[in-house]
Amino acid sequence: MNIYRTAGIVGVALTAGAHAQEKPKIDATVNVDLSSKYVWRGVNFVNDWVLQPSVSLKSSGIELNLWGNMELTGWNSGNYPKNPKNRFTEFDTTLSYKGAYGGGNWWVGYIDYQFPGTGAKRFQEWNLGVSSSKYWGTPTLNIYKGASAGLGTYVTLGVNHEVNSTGLGKATTWNLGAQIGYGDKKSNNFFYGSNKAGFADLKLSAATSFGLGKDWTFSPSVNYSTLLEKSLNAGLPRRSNLWLNFGFSRKFAF
């Protein structure tokens, strides 16, 4: 679910003497992720391959992001009214505004989650976040406040650190990430069936990227997550997960 996002008209200023083109007013990114599992906030929603495309449009600090989850197998066929194979079972829409301050960024957004054909209820969240490049790992804080009844508040704190590795070819830059999540009573009850507030999940990742020609970027990653309290999804399997993700992205300017 992740989405964790608007449009305008582009103008090009030309003069007889060939002035430079104006800066683009819209930046667009198309991204397609192929993942061996779908895990979100420590919960394994699909224990098999999924395809997750997204499109984002940015203009003057405003961003619209559309994200989808397509299940490539029938692993959830016993959990949904319809067989999910090769169907989209989730659509997330995020509208956000991002600004900068000395040494970092802040943002506020609204996220809508819907789950066609699954029987799961649609819900919404507010998101407020801040990051700072002044400190090691560029710490990032995100607060998700439920806009729908009974959701509560979920908070994440994450860091990312780049390291270089040398092999037979060019040096490769790896982005190592760690994120911990905390939920209040309502949030942990909604997502994990626990009436206790506390730390919810831990996620670790290692990612790199390569250019594919001049237009596309390939970004493979390995990810691990685990639930931190026994009361969260108590008695259910797959409380810890390891999965691969292969991302393909392209940016456009209008």
Side-chain angles (χ1 to χ4, degrees):
M1 288 183 191
N2 235 294
I3 271 220
Y4 263 31
R5 211 165 127 153
T6 241
I9 300 176
V10 178
V12 178
L14 297 176
T15 67
H19 284 279
Q21 181 176 314
E22 289 183 354
K23 290 183 179 180
K25 293 184 179 180
I26 303 176
D27 292 319
T29 302
V30 175
N31 192 82
V32 179
D33 286 324
L34 178 65
S35 295
S36 60
K37 295 181 182 182
Y38 174 24
V39 181
W40 185 65
R41 296 187 182 177
V43 179
N44 183 325
F45 286 96
V46 187
N47 196 48
D48 214 329
W49 289 93
V50 294
L51 191 68
Q52 299 174 331
S54 66
V55 177
S56 67
L57 300 172
K58 300 179 183 179
S59 179
S60 302
I62 300 173
E63 182 174 356
L64 174 67
N65 180 273
L66 308 174
W67 180 92
N69 176 70
M70 174 185 281
E71 302 192 22
L72 300 180
T73 71
W75 185 82
N76 265 320
S77 58
N79 299 320
Y80 301 157
K82 298 179 181 179
N83 190 327
K85 185 176 181 180
N86 297 329
R87 290 198 314 105
F88 280 97
T89 55
E90 183 177 345
F91 290 109
D92 299 348
T93 303
T94 302
L95 182 63
S96 60
Y97 181 80
K98 184 177 183 179
Y101 68 94
N105 296 289
W106 61 268
W107 53 92
V108 61
Y110 186 79
I111 313 168
D112 175 72
Y113 306 89
Q114 47 186 314
F115 311 92
T118 67
K121 187 178 179 181
R122 181 177 182 175
F123 66 89
Q124 295 80 33
E125 288 182 321
W126 289 99
N127 170 225
L128 177 64
V130 63
S131 67
S132 176
S133 58
K134 287 185 175 183
Y135 303 98
W136 182 91
T138 312
T140 301
L141 177 70
N142 270 293
I143 301 172
Y144 299 89
K145 176 65 177 177
S148 303
L151 281 182
T153 302
Y154 175 80
V155 180
T156 64
L157 178 62
V159 293
N160 287 275
H161 181 63
E162 289 189 350
V163 296
N164 293 322
S165 63
T166 55
L168 298 178
K170 296 181 180 179
T172 300
T173 299
W174 288 88
N175 186 294
L176 306 180
Q179 177 181 280
I180 192 168
Y182 178 92
D184 66 7
K185 289 183 180 181
K186 284 186 178 180
S187 177
N188 285 351
N189 183 59
F190 183 86
F191 290 108
Y192 311 106
S194 171
N195 61 359
K196 220 167 98 169
F199 288 104
D201 63 299
L202 173 68
K203 181 181 178 182
L204 305 175
S205 62
T208 189
S209 62
F210 307 93
L212 296 179
K214 63 178 181 179
D215 296 323
W216 288 87
T217 300
F218 172 54
S219 304
S221 67
V222 58
N223 307 270
Y224 171 81
S225 78
T226 186
L227 296 176
L228 297 175
E229 288 284 343
K230 292 182 179 180
S231 63
L232 306 178
N233 286 0
L236 296 182
R238 295 177 291 277
R239 291 171 47 82
S240 296
N241 293 275
L242 180 69
W243 73 97
L244 299 174
N245 187 86
F246 304 99
F248 300 86
S249 63
R250 182 177 180 179
K251 294 183 178 181
F252 303 86
F254 301 94

